[in-house]
Amino acid sequence: MDFALTASQQDLQARAEKVGRSFADEVRQWDELDQAPYREIFERVGAADLLGVAMPKKYGGKGGGAVEYLLVVEALFRYAQSWLPPEPVFCTSGPGPSMFLLGDEAVREKYLHDIVAGRRGCNIALTEPDAGSALTHLKTTAAADHDSLILNGHKNFLTGSNVNELNATFVRFADVAGAKGIGAVVVEDSMPGVEVRRGPTFVGDRGIHHGEMILTDVRVPKENIIVGPGQFARLMTAFNLERLHNCGFWLGYSQAAYDEAARYVQQREAFGKPIIDFQSVYHALADMWVQIEALRLLAYRAAASAIEGRFPQLAEVTQAKLFGATVGPQITLKAMELHGGYGATTDFSVQRIHRDCVTNVVAGGAPAVLRNGVAAGLFPNRKFRQT
């Protein structure tokens, strides 16, 4: 098995590292103010030619796949030490845009060119106040009315709600229970009956809003249907790319925490020598790096497994995401510990890195839900029912 990157992949990685490093001195202020110059971030990532990296050239993308996507977001997460620079890649090439590839050509032509070019941003309106992990229990409805759908419901945790105009919205069609009734449609913020709210203040992932959207008798043309009812499993293949993005987050952030810890322990002295010379310290660094390398293999295997190079296989990406969400917070917490008392101060970035990691533990699927999926794959003849 050849793990070597191609020349074009190495170039992508190098460009992502360079632009990621360019943000490193700015991210502390974004976090402290909970406000970031998102359009400027978008333009700088775009100037490095990293938008639409995994989208077909037909729609303005670069024609890459899941591996290229992972390479780019991992490098941005690691070297920017912020979740924001990877967002333009996510918005132009991640699960939202990829979801459109599952739909009819009409909805692709209507929206996808603008999304991939970064002219319009698209949220994923998935979670509801009473339906997070229990996605198949969502209550937002889409009732047919001639050539339109009438939507009613409440969505929350819409990352980018104050900077994106479109929402790939998961809805229930015609009161059909369970997974069979679920599909996705495009909702524009400007449509009558759409109300977007600020949402809660997060301890991490700060800078742009993770808002709420209230839908009250919102009329949406049927041509905005991305995937209709009865195709839930197909729709969720796009969500596998969300989990690969999560893998990129854990891989990049774990390395960022390791980088900070390794730098600090070589500079800090105690008892007359650098603290890296103490066995407990260099053993801790060794353990951190082995976990990072194990996560790298799982994440890259998931990316390489992708169907048509785009949608990672469910089993592989679930295992990788679960491992990342398990070891990532441990690595960042250990990095704080290696900084001693300074690790808990805002003078050092490890505390921000750790807060972002804590915020992301349940993103893309809570660990308990991921374990359900792994167990279901291990024991296919058993039904681990959650209802």
Side-chain angles (χ1 to χ4, degrees):
M1 185 179 296
D2 185 4
F3 291 96
L5 300 180
T6 66
S8 62
Q9 290 171 337
Q10 291 176 26
D11 175 66
L12 268 178
Q13 195 175 51
R15 280 188 278 131
E17 176 180 342
K18 182 178 180 180
V19 73
R21 288 185 184 277
S22 77
F23 290 110
D25 294 333
E26 304 168 53
V27 298
R28 175 177 175 174
Q29 186 176 45
W30 303 345
D31 174 74
E32 291 178 348
L33 298 177
D34 198 11
Q35 184 175 337
Y38 186 68
R39 180 44 54 184
E40 178 190 332
I41 295 169
F42 215 107
E43 290 172 354
R44 286 163 64 179
V45 174
D49 203 24
L50 298 176
L51 303 183
V53 65
M55 293 300 289
K57 294 181 179 179
K58 176 180 179 180
Y59 302 104
K62 304 300 185 293
V67 172
E68 286 74 21
Y69 183 91
L70 179 60
L71 285 169
V72 169
V73 296
E74 175 200 345
L76 288 171
F77 280 124
R78 179 179 185 178
Y79 294 106
Q81 297 187 355
S82 169
W83 72 285
L84 281 164
E87 277 295 294
V89 184
F90 181 88
C91 288
T92 61
S93 198
S98 294
M99 195 184 304
F100 282 81
L101 299 177
L102 304 174
D104 294 334
E105 189 63 26
V107 75
R108 299 184 200 178
E109 286 296 326
K110 185 175 181 178
Y111 291 111
L112 203 49
H113 294 277
D114 282 348
I115 291 172
V116 173
R119 291 187 290 268
R120 303 179 81 180
C122 187
N123 302 314
I124 301 177
L126 180 71
T127 307
E128 298 181 0
D130 297 319
S133 295
L135 174 61
T136 54
H137 289 64
L138 66 82
K139 298 177 181 177
T140 298
T141 58
D145 184 36
H146 302 292
D147 292 333
S148 301
L149 299 169
I150 307 299
L151 273 58
N152 284 279
H154 184 178
K155 295 291 184 179
N156 61 353
F157 298 157
L158 276 70
T159 297
S161 58
N162 63 321
V163 293
N164 297 323
E165 308 89 345
L166 307 175
N167 304 274
T169 307
F170 283 61
V171 298
R172 183 172 303 286
F173 287 85
D175 295 326
V176 178
K180 292 182 179 180
I182 295 175
V185 301
V186 181
V187 175
E188 301 184 20
D189 282 357
S190 59
M191 291 175 170
V194 177
E195 178 190 359
V196 179
R197 299 176 180 172
R198 168 66 170 84
T201 300
F202 279 55
V203 298
D205 284 4
R206 293 160 58 81
I208 60 176
H209 298 175
H210 307 273
E212 301 179 39
M213 181 172 65
I214 313 299
L215 305 172
T216 306
D217 294 329
V218 178
R219 183 174 292 274
V220 177
K222 286 186 176 179
E223 67 184 27
N224 279 25
I225 295 175
I226 302 173
V227 174
Q231 304 179 67
F232 182 73
R234 182 166 175 263
L235 177 60
M236 293 307 289
T237 59
F239 201 64
N240 290 344
L241 194 55
E242 166 99 8
R243 290 181 174 171
L244 189 69
H245 185 85
N246 300 143
C247 291
F249 171 89
W250 292 116
L251 193 51
Y253 261 64
S254 296
Q255 289 173 102
Y258 173 88
D259 292 341
E260 290 299 314
R263 182 181 303 113
Y264 180 82
V265 299
Q266 293 180 78
Q267 298 170 349
R268 174 68 170 175
E269 292 191 357
F271 302 100
K273 62 181 179 180
I275 63 174
I276 192 173
D277 290 340
F278 292 97
Q279 188 180 66
S280 62
V281 174
Y282 61 77
H283 277 189
L285 293 170
D287 288 341
M288 291 163 72
W289 192 253
V290 169
Q291 289 177 319
I292 289 168
E293 287 298 289
L295 174 57
R296 190 189 316 281
L297 290 173
L298 284 170
Y300 278 61
R301 183 188 68 161
S305 79
I307 300 169
E308 299 176 357
R310 179 163 292 106
F311 301 113
Q313 297 279 2
L314 178 60
E316 284 80 357
V317 78
T318 300
Q319 293 167 31
K321 197 275 181 183
L322 174 60
F323 187 70
T326 302
V327 303
Q330 297 173 6
I331 291 170
T332 57
L333 186 60
K334 178 58 71 172
M336 288 181 66
E337 179 187 331
L338 291 174
H339 279 71
Y342 292 111
T345 70
T346 56
D347 293 341
F348 289 81
S349 63
V350 286
Q351 51 78 31
R352 186 187 68 247
I353 292 170
H354 183 64
R355 283 189 287 108
D356 284 358
C357 285
V358 169
T359 304
N360 273 275
V361 167
V362 300
V369 174
L370 299 177
R371 291 185 178 97
N372 290 345
V374 172
L378 293 173
F379 304 99
N381 296 325
R382 289 189 171 274
K383 300 295 183 183
F384 300 116
R385 300 190 183 280
Q386 305 305 306
T387 58

